[in-house]
Amino acid sequence: MKRWLKAGYMAKSEATKKSEYYRTDMGTPQGGTISPLLANIALDQMETDLIEHLRGIKGWKKRIGTTSISTVVDKKSKKSYRVRKHLNIDLVRYADDFVVLHKDKEVIEESKRFIGKWLEIRGLTLSEEKTKIVHSTEGFDFLGHHIRHYENRVKGIYKLKLLNGTPNEQRRAKATHVLRVEPTKEKIKGHYRNISDTIWKTKAATPLQLIAILQPKITGWANYYKAVHSSEAFSKLDHLLWKRLYQWACRKHPNKGKRWVADKYFGTVSGRKWTFAQIVGKGKDRKIVKYLKGYSKHKEKTGSYARVGYDRSYYDGDTAYWAGRLSKGYGNITPSKAKMLKRQDGICPVCKCRFGNEDLPEAHHIHPRHLGGEDTYTNLVLVHLHCHDKIHREYRRKKEENCQTHKDFKKFLNKDGTMKYKETNTDGTSTVLRTGKDAGIITPVSGDDKEPI
């Protein structure tokens, strides 16, 4: 069983030593926009120095482990990442908040003493109120999550089923304790209080206006906790949200019956009843214009995402690695573009280069829409913005030189609907953008396509 050191730190100055406080216009306030960046600069190398110190203590090398790095391939995502397999101590830090994990309490106490001295050199000190040593079965709160080891209660027929299953299921059945990460009760209560107050302040709003106000709050909070054990919290919040919205609707129409109120403000969306929505029309003409997406709709299966390597950073310049993450929807891109990136393996078919984290992807119709091309994935390919401009410059030039009407332009389409956009390679061959299942992939031009444009 592991023991955990939960810690934070606070600035220490000469003024605080003397119990005197002076007003100053210099520096940055705690919790400011630049505060996390300054914390990362000040606390950099903390983990490396701690591991080196603990390994330097006589007889502790085996207790701490080695810092050898190996490459592991994720079975689900097929992506490789670097890990330190044989290191028995972990330090997880986010800005000025960090946790040290080890199974031996003596190691944790020595870590606390060393970190205290390490911070003093930088003019900082551990906060006595926030720093505590607890056992993993007691649990602790970290970044709005409650992390705790619970006793494994799997038994009976379900346990026998796991013992006869995959190696991962067998380990789950034999484990004495199970790690559980879930939202803290304080965060759940605070978020619902915010949602409830927002609904109370918008008594005169229309359903459409209320949805526009609530949806960003719900989506942002749910996305933060969707990757952990949050099913119970999401179900509870969905129920409380429904009760609050029903009160809001009944208050707007005190002289109407409950069935009338339910029909006016709640509908069925994807099999889910009592969904708050903007509804217009009656009877057969009844139509849901917009509805409120609840918490449970944002939930993801725990562990369904690919981990990021311990030594990776979004700004480390490794565009090949992060382009692979982009192809799985990582980053600020639309779901449709993420799907095309995944299909193309993160490669632009025109320049054959990978998409970087700062590149501008653009969706291109292989068969132009004004010639009957459909707005479907089979007719779309994701290219760089400058590559997209290059394609359309070439199309426009060919059209101006040889085409008087759209009918004339059709001669530049192959029999399979492929646009005869060609590019000469270094070996003298040409390539063409394809449609259908091979859409977005540059392939050598066949014999039928080698006629001059």
Side-chain angles (χ1 to χ4, degrees), residues 190-206 209-211 213-214 217 244-245 247-249 251-252:
H191 174 70
Y192 175 69
R193 191 179 300 113
N194 181 20
I195 293 293
S196 180
D197 292 344
T198 302
I199 297 174
W200 178 256
K201 293 176 183 177
T202 54
K203 303 184 188 73
T206 63
Q209 293 171 341
L210 187 58
I211 291 172
I213 296 172
L214 293 179
K217 296 176 181 288
R244 194 69 186 86
L245 289 172
Q247 291 174 357
W248 176 88
R251 185 187 180 281
K252 290 180 74 70

Side-chain angles (χ1 to χ4, degrees), residues 340-349 355 380-383 439-440:
M340 286 187 280
L341 269 175
K342 182 178 180 180
R343 183 185 62 181
Q344 298 170 203
D345 196 23
I347 298 175
C348 173
F355 286 92
L380 285 170
V381 61
L382 202 65
V383 298

Side-chain angles (χ1 to χ4, degrees), residues 301-323:
K301 185 178 179 181
T302 306
S304 61
Y305 50 89
R307 289 180 290 176
V308 179
Y310 84 98
D311 58 345
R312 294 291 186 178
S313 169
Y314 188 74
Y315 302 100
D316 59 7
D318 190 350
T319 56
Y321 176 82
W322 291 106

Side-chain angles (χ1 to χ4, degrees), residues 122 159 236 254 263 451:
R122 290 154 179 81
K159 185 174 182 179
K236 183 177 181 180
D263 290 340
E451 58 189 31

Side-chain angles (χ1 to χ4, degrees), residues 191 195 211 213-224 234 238 241 245 292-296 298:
H191 174 70
I195 293 293
I211 291 172
I213 296 172
L214 293 179
Q215 192 65 78
K217 296 176 181 288
I218 294 173
T219 300
W221 196 87
N223 283 340
Y224 184 73
F234 284 3
D238 277 334
L241 178 63
L245 289 172
L292 185 66
K293 187 178 179 181
Y295 296 89
S296 299
H298 297 83

Side-chain angles (χ1 to χ4, degrees), residues 143-158:
L143 301 178
H145 297 83
H146 184 69
I147 305 170
R148 182 178 174 183
H149 263 127
Y150 289 90
E151 184 179 352
N152 191 2
R153 297 184 178 180
V154 176
K155 56 184 178 181
I157 297 176
Y158 181 59

